Amino acid sequence: LMILAVFALAYLTTRSVSLGSVLAAITFGVGFAVLHNGNLTVMLCGIFMSALATFMHRQNIVRLLKGEERKTDLFKKDKE
């Protein structure tokens, strides 16, 4: 639920799906580190998946930093 909340908040405030996805991936890694700190293997696997998801969004991150990432509106209806 926390990951969904972070994604939704990021998307609703910026209209950027990629920013929401990156922040959700980071939240996933932090959540694994907090919730599974007694099991090093599980914790590291969660952090690795988070890092991999963030790495896979590297082009989106570059566009976000340049201000070139396109915005979306999932709730807008077409006027066609």
Side-chain angles (χ1 to χ4, degrees):
L1 289 175
M2 181 63 82
I3 295 167
L4 179 61
V6 167
F7 175 84
L9 182 64
Y11 174 75
L12 293 173
T13 57
T14 67
R15 293 184 352 186
S16 175
V17 173
S18 60
L19 179 61
S21 298
V22 170
L23 292 176
I26 292 168
T27 303
F28 178 82
V30 171
F32 254 77
V34 170
L35 295 175
H36 298 283
N37 62 359
N39 188 338
L40 184 61
T41 303
V42 173
M43 182 179 74
L44 291 177
C45 285
I47 292 170
F48 174 76
M49 288 189 294
S50 172
L52 183 60
T54 304
F55 176 75
M56 295 303 291
H57 279 88
R58 65 189 178 279
Q59 292 299 323
N60 295 13
I61 294 169
V62 169
R63 286 192 297 272
L64 283 166
L65 292 173
K66 290 181 178 180
E68 298 172 352
E69 185 69 6
R70 67 178 191 178
K71 305 286 182 177
T72 60
D73 193 351
L74 297 176
F75 305 108
K76 185 176 94 173
K77 294 188 178 192
D78 289 334
K79 298 191 184 224
E80 294 179 27

